[in-house]
Each structure stands twice: as C-alpha cells, then as structure tokens.
Amino acid sequence: MLSNEAEHFLLQLRLELASRGKKDEDIDAIEEELRDHLYEAELRGESVESVTGGSVKEYIKSISSELPFDKGIIRFIFLLILAMISFFTVPNLIQGDFDMTVNRVIYYSLLMFVLAPLELWVMKTLLVKYGDQKKSYVMAIGVSLSLLAFCILGEFLLRKTESPSLVTMDDKYSFYIGITIALLFIIICTIIKYWFFIGVMIYIVLPDLLAKLFTSGNPKSEDYVTVSGITFTILNIIFGTLLFMYYRKEEKKDKVK
C-alpha cells in the first residue's frame, strides 16, 4: 500500500494528464510505472519527492516526450458540444410547440461554454487540492447541485420572459424532428461506443416521450405531468441503483488490490 501522499500525487498526475488531452492507455501506463517506483522508494524509506521532484507539472515535463497528444480529444469535444445541444433541444421538441428564442440561445451558450467548463475546472481543482477524500466529493456534489439549481431557475425564467423567436415549429413537426434527432444521436453514440451519452439521452427524453404517447399530449395537463413525473422518478431509482452497484464493485476491486 502506498502512503496518502503518494496516492494524492498519482491522482494529481492523472487529472493533469487527462486535462492536457493525453490517451487513457498512456496515462494508465505512466501511473502504473510511477506507482511501482513509489512503492519501492517507500519500502526503502525514501520520500515521494525523491522520486517525483514534488511537482506534478515538473514531472510531466520530464516525461512529455513519452506522451503524445490524443487527437481523439478533438472528436470528443465536438461530440460533447453536439450532445449538449441535443440535450437542451430534444426534450422541448418532443413536448411540442418548439420555440427557440434569442434568450434561450444566450442561456444555452452560457451553460455550454462558460458554466460547464467552469464546473469541470472547479471539480478538478477540488480533487487536486484535497485528493480522494469525502470532502472533495461533498464539495463536488455541492457544485453540481448549484449548477442544477441554476439550470432549473434559468428554465423557469425563460418561460416567464418574452424574447424574439428565431425558430418555431408546431406540435406535429417538432415531435417527429425531436424523435429523429434522438435516434440519430443514439445510433452515432452506439457506433463510437459512447454509452454514457446514450444513457443521458434516454434519461432526459423518456419521461416526455411516454407522457406524449400515453396522455393528451399537452405538457401543462395534469396527466402529462403525472406520467412524466413517475417515469422520471423510476429512472432516478434505476440509475441510482446502477451507480451504487458500480461504486460497490469498484470498492471491492480496491480492497483486493
């Protein structure tokens, strides 16, 4: 077992390399090699600094020639932007009477290009500073919940404020366009094996889709809200259970190591 200081350094190294667009395989290889060196050094009674120099950035400079830039990160960023646009628009398309206003475009742009990157930077900073501790995850959850609250408040304000429309569609066309975009997105993610994005798309689309198919179809009606609310609750239970099972599985792996 490595000391907490060594584990913290390895975590910092992984986060820094990932943020610089390095391949997962290369990161894993470097981490495993460094882990062995740190383990041997600590057995001899040597410090972490004697192996790493004490600075993650300086250590990365010393191995930079071994880690080429992962060009796949460009494809991932493009897909991430496409995914966020789809996540924001598809539910509204399925609900019907789609109306893309100037305020909505500004709001979504703020979320995608300012707040989402800021959230990732804050979470990375927390993990680098506090390491793999409960404090890190509690604060990270707090940041995520704050962003979620901002999104809910933003959606509420968008519905209460008037703004010039850029694109409008009636109920029939918006529904079928929304379904088509969702299916194409799922097919693309299946081909390139981005299962997480598929899960998110199903999570945000299914409540409105079922409510649209099995009720009057009016998003403001009581039966629509009931069906979508029940579906949303069931999905939360399913995904929460899967996340818990994954966490327990990883925890058992760590104990074996």
Side-chain angles (χ1 to χ4, degrees), residues 22-112:
K22 305 304 181 181
K23 294 181 180 180
D24 288 340
E25 311 88 76
D26 292 335
I27 295 175
D28 291 339
I30 290 296
E31 181 183 355
E32 285 303 313
E33 182 180 355
L34 180 57
R35 182 179 292 275
D36 291 338
H37 291 323
L38 289 171
Y39 178 74
E40 293 171 2
E42 290 189 334
L43 283 179
R44 297 191 298 267
E46 299 176 5
S47 66
V48 174
E49 287 78 6
S50 65
V51 178
T52 64
S55 168
V56 171
K57 292 183 179 180
E58 289 300 321
Y59 184 80
I60 291 176
K61 284 182 182 179
S62 68
I63 60 172
S64 59
S65 59
E66 305 175 35
L67 297 171
F69 179 76
D70 183 10
K71 295 181 180 179
I73 195 68
I74 298 175
R75 183 183 66 178
F76 176 78
I77 292 174
F78 174 77
L79 180 63
L80 182 61
I81 294 173
L82 181 63
M84 294 183 73
I85 293 173
S86 300
F87 297 157
F88 288 139
T89 57
V90 169
N92 290 328
L93 284 166
I94 291 176
Q95 286 177 12
D97 294 328
F98 179 77
D99 184 15
M100 182 59 68
T101 64
V102 172
N103 284 352
R104 194 169 287 275
V105 171
I106 294 173
Y107 169 68
Y108 289 159
S109 299
L110 178 65
L111 285 179
M112 287 190 293

Side-chain angles (χ1 to χ4, degrees), residues 123-228:
M123 288 186 173
K124 175 194 168 185
T125 302
L126 290 173
L127 283 172
V128 167
K129 184 174 182 180
Y130 299 108
D132 190 15
Q133 300 179 27
K134 281 187 178 180
K135 186 176 183 179
S136 302
Y137 297 106
V138 169
M139 295 177 73
I141 291 172
V143 172
S144 297
L145 291 177
S146 299
L147 182 60
L148 178 61
F150 179 86
C151 291
I152 295 173
L153 177 62
E155 286 291 339
F156 176 78
L157 292 176
L158 283 175
R159 296 177 184 181
K160 295 295 182 180
T161 57
E162 295 185 0
S163 177
S165 296
L166 297 176
V167 180
T168 58
M169 298 180 192
D170 63 24
D171 183 78
K172 179 180 178 181
Y173 290 109
S174 68
F175 175 78
Y176 288 114
I177 289 174
I179 291 296
T180 302
I181 293 174
L183 289 175
L184 287 174
F185 181 83
I186 290 174
I187 291 171
I188 292 172
C189 289
T190 301
I191 293 172
I192 58 180
K193 299 180 180 180
Y194 275 63
W195 312 115
F196 174 76
F197 287 156
I198 295 176
V200 175
M201 179 60 77
I202 293 173
Y203 180 79
I204 65 174
V205 165
L206 198 58
D208 284 305
L209 178 59
L210 293 181
K212 194 75 174 179
L213 294 175
F214 296 107
T215 68
S216 61
N218 182 3
K220 296 181 181 179
S221 66
E222 184 177 346
D223 55 349
Y224 186 104
V225 173
T226 300
V227 172
S228 62

